[in-house]
Amino acid sequence: VTSPDDRALSRFLADVERRSSDLEILTGDDCVRRYSDPFRLRSLGDGTVAAVRPSGGTAIQDIVRSANEHGVPLWPISRGENLGYGGSASFGDAAVILDLSRMNRILAVNVEDAFCLVEPGVSFVDMHDHLQRHDLPLWLSVPGYGLGSMVGNALERGVGNSPYGDHASQICGLEVVLGDGELVRTGMGALSGSGMWQRQRAALGPRYDELFVQSGYGVVTKMGLWLMPQPEASAAIEIELSDRDGLGGLVETLTSLKRQAYIQDSPVIASFLTMAALRSVRSDWSDERRALNLEESRRLRDALGLGWWNARTRLYGPVDMVELCLGHVEKALRPFADSGVRVSRWRRGEPIENAHRGIPSGGGLANAQWCGEGGAHVDLAVALPLSGAEAMRHALRVMDLLESVGVDYHSAFYLRERHMLNIVQLLFDRNDTAMCEAVEAAYKMLIIDASMRGYGVTRAPAHFRADAMAVFDFADHALSRMGARIKAALDPGAILSPGKDGFPAEIRPIGSLPTAR
Ligand code: ADP
């Protein structure tokens, strides 16, 4: 892993400082601390050497052009809260951080057509506050950790479980500075002055928004996102399933309800540790250096009042429709009556606190402390079919693999339109070298094991991107080669996000510039 050459770096920093009137530049220890991954498994570099923080305008184009001239790689981040997937650090600390968090304007919110246009520094909390302050009837889909940016989260395929919970799918129109410094607007934004930018995703030709999701092809400077219009009514159903092996049946039932459109959101089914790790620490239940055993797990569930699986789904729409759907859902869930099925309702006019809308908070971070002071996690998302049998098989495989390396099972299934997303968080103590090594090995095993059943990873930290990409092997890794060709066209100097794409080294079309692997 090579960091930018000292002389090139000084020339680059002097150059961008001269070109831009309002640019913050950070170097030294402060920079190393601020842009490190607090959850790193091991250090691949010596820490971030420098960061640049523009306030907007044409600064980004100037920075990207200057980076090309001086051969200095850049790693764009929005708010840098990508915890569990690399945080604010660049892969191997090999790039200067291009921190866009000062660009935090909400440029537009349209209530009638339910969309917004935001800069990268806008967090979910900022947007929530804005909607509250102006009393706008729009709801957010929020990820577990709400202090991150809407832009960074959508670009990394973050998830929530509202009907708008597939955040990358809600993107409508981007403004992007490509790797060579050219400024582009996607979709109808390409028609200067068009009011259609956030209303229709494609112009003539492909939908290019998706090209900038999880890629290193450009720096996103503005993003359009669709929001959820406030419904007339909502309802939530919570189920605590005490039987671990009942997962398959619950998946089948919820899937069937979703396919028939009785359920509008993405039902989520989470293992008990997902909640327990927010409310307790591991040492409350065990001091052993192995995965929690059956007895400890049972004691924990009894004490915290949790099911083995804890499911939640929500209904939205006009009052009559929600009641009709709820009737069907309650009937279908009768076989789970022993599992404590709880229903709550809200309708417009009642206190908004009781509505089933997403409220962003920083609380989701608490689970990192599960393994104590040095607590951390790395996360892995795998796409599976909507099948109860496959959910159970996958859960047992992951449990077995994690148990074999002494890591607890912390997992949630999100039931989507045509697939089910399983997000596993591997919680570890980063001060425990042996545990870090075990987690690293386990993560790679999980990738391979899923791929042998035909399942690929949809989100992984840059640390594991090459491993996760390598399983996409059709026609001798043609997909990676195509990605590398697009990269070469849009970022010919290989300046942006080195190591992020995870293309195998031999097909990486990179010139003489420092590369991450
Ligand atoms: P968040 O602010 O939601 O915490 P980050 O800023 O950490 O998210 O972004 C996560 C990752 O997404 C970054 O490491 C980077 O690879 C990519 N990314 C984030 N923002 C941008 C952007 N504006 N342009 C290009 N890539 C971005």
Side-chain angles (χ1 to χ4, degrees):
V1 183
T2 337
S3 292
D5 166 84
D6 280 351
R7 290 220 316 273
L9 179 66
S10 333
R11 282 200 289 261
F12 163 74
L13 292 177
D15 190 31
V16 289
E17 191 162 33
R18 188 177 48 75
R19 287 200 210 189
S20 171
S21 58
D22 184 20
L23 183 72
E24 287 177 15
I25 295 179
L26 278 80
T27 54
D29 289 349
D30 184 30
C31 182
V32 170
R33 266 193 304 277
R34 186 159 173 172
Y35 300 102
S36 68
D37 175 7
F39 296 172
R40 65 190 166 278
L41 276 166
R42 64 188 160 100
S43 293
L44 297 176
D46 300 328
T48 298
V49 288
V52 289
R53 307 184 72 224
S55 61
T58 56
I60 311 242
Q61 279 179 279
D62 288 340
I63 292 167
V64 172
R65 286 191 182 125
S66 180
N68 273 282
E69 279 163 32
H70 299 285
V72 170
L74 295 172
W75 189 279
I77 60 167
S78 288
R79 292 182 63 85
E81 302 283 358
N82 196 19
L83 298 165
Y85 296 101
S88 58
S90 65
F91 178 57
D93 298 322
V96 168
I97 300 293
L98 173 53
D99 175 351
L100 306 173
S101 60
R102 289 176 71 210
M103 295 169 59
N104 59 358
R105 289 178 303 164
I106 295 174
L107 299 167
V109 176
N110 183 301
V111 172
E112 205 167 38
D113 288 329
F115 64 74
C116 64
L117 180 68
V118 294
E119 289 187 333
V122 175
S123 71
F124 287 89
V125 171
D126 294 336
M127 181 56 83
H128 178 74
D129 290 349
H130 179 90
L131 298 176
Q132 293 272 98
R133 202 169 332 115
H134 300 281
D135 199 18
L136 304 178
L138 295 173
W139 288 4
L140 290 181
S141 170
V142 299
Y145 185 61
L147 303 188
S149 68
M150 299 180 79
V151 169
N153 186 274
L155 288 180
E156 283 299 289
R157 284 194 222 292
V159 300
N161 71 323
S162 102
Y164 289 63
D166 181 355
H167 298 164
S169 303
Q170 308 313 325
I171 298 175
C172 186
L174 298 176
E175 183 184 271
V176 189
V177 174
L178 303 179
D180 60 3
E182 180 155 36
L183 184 72
V184 179
R185 285 188 179 178
T186 62
M188 287 295 169
L191 201 166
S192 303
S194 172
M196 294 300 291
W197 194 14
Q198 273 65 61
R199 291 183 162 93
Q200 152 66 12
R201 292 191 175 103
L204 204 56
R207 288 187 192 171
Y208 288 108
D209 291 346
E210 186 64 23
L211 207 54
F212 300 97
V213 173
Q214 286 189 353
S215 75
Y217 303 153
V219 181
V220 173
T221 50
K222 294 186 175 80
M223 178 184 281
L225 282 160
W226 288 354
L227 305 173
M228 179 169 156
Q230 186 192 78
E232 195 179 279
S234 64
I237 297 107
E238 288 173 77
I239 307 149
E240 281 155 21
L241 193 63
S242 53
D243 174 17
R244 185 196 70 176
D245 298 340
L247 173 69
L250 187 57
V251 166
E252 289 295 331
T253 302
L254 291 173
T255 296
S256 159
L257 288 166
K258 186 156 175 61
R259 283 187 179 135
Q260 294 173 84
Y262 290 129
I263 288 174
Q264 285 77 42
D265 74 346
S266 290
V268 56
I269 307 176
S271 69
F272 59 89
L273 200 54
T274 315
M275 283 93 194
L278 293 171
R279 285 149 52 180
S280 65
V281 289
R282 193 175 197 289
S283 56
D284 294 340
W285 315 106
S286 173
D287 291 322
E288 301 291 329
R289 285 180 51 134
R290 50 156 172 70
L292 290 183
N293 65 24
L294 290 179
E295 173 50 30
E296 290 154 352
S297 303
R298 201 182 43 74
R299 201 156 45 79
L300 178 157
R301 290 200 307 282
D302 288 349
L304 299 181
L306 295 170
W308 212 107
W309 298 105
N310 301 271
R312 188 182 61 190
T313 184
R314 293 157 174 165
L315 282 51
Y316 300 98
V319 177
D320 298 356
M321 196 183 106
V322 169
E323 284 306 319
L324 180 87
C325 291
L326 198 53
H328 284 273
V329 173
E330 286 186 293
K331 194 166 147 215
L333 287 174
R334 254 177 227 152
F336 300 91
D338 291 349
S339 308
V341 179
R342 286 194 305 276
V343 177
S344 58
R345 292 174 164 82
W346 172 85
R347 62 168 71 181
R348 207 180 288 160
E350 293 176 2
I352 191 76
E353 295 73 40
N354 300 339
H356 305 97
R357 60 181 183 152
I359 300 191
S361 82
L365 203 56
N367 70 355
Q369 300 307 311
W370 177 246
C371 290
E373 289 264 299
H377 57 87
V378 283
D379 306 352
L380 169 101
V382 173
L384 305 164
L386 282 164
S387 143
E390 280 307 278
M392 198 61 228
R393 188 171 308 147
H394 187 68
L396 291 176
R397 284 297 299 164
V398 175
M399 270 178 234
D400 279 355
L401 277 170
L402 293 186
E403 195 181 349
S404 72
V405 294
V407 172
D408 296 320
Y409 180 71
H410 185 293
S411 152
F413 292 87
Y414 292 78
L415 278 51
R416 294 274 187 75
E417 300 299 317
R418 301 285 185 279
H419 78 283
M420 181 168 57
L421 196 67
N422 179 229
I423 300 182
V424 173
Q425 295 196 306
L426 284 74
L427 299 157
F428 63 96
D429 176 358
R430 66 179 177 278
N431 299 325
D432 180 337
T433 311
M435 191 174 197
C436 289
E437 282 167 12
V439 164
E440 181 147 5
Y443 200 106
K444 292 180 183 178
M445 282 196 296
L446 291 173
I447 294 171
I448 304 284
D449 189 68
S451 77
M452 304 217 298
R453 283 173 285 129
Y455 306 137
V457 167
T458 65
R459 191 177 181 190
H463 193 95
F464 294 107
R465 272 297 274 278
D467 297 286
M469 239 2 248
V471 308
F472 297 105
D473 60 348
F474 174 76
D476 191 21
H477 302 267
L479 187 70
S480 282
R481 281 203 306 283
M482 184 178 84
R485 283 153 69 187
I486 297 172
K487 173 81 174 164
L490 302 186
D491 182 15
I495 285 299
L496 296 180
S497 309
K500 179 178 163 104
D501 42 41
F503 302 144
E506 64 274 18
I507 57 164
R508 194 177 274 260
I510 282 185
S512 57
L513 294 166
T515 58
R517 79 177 28 212

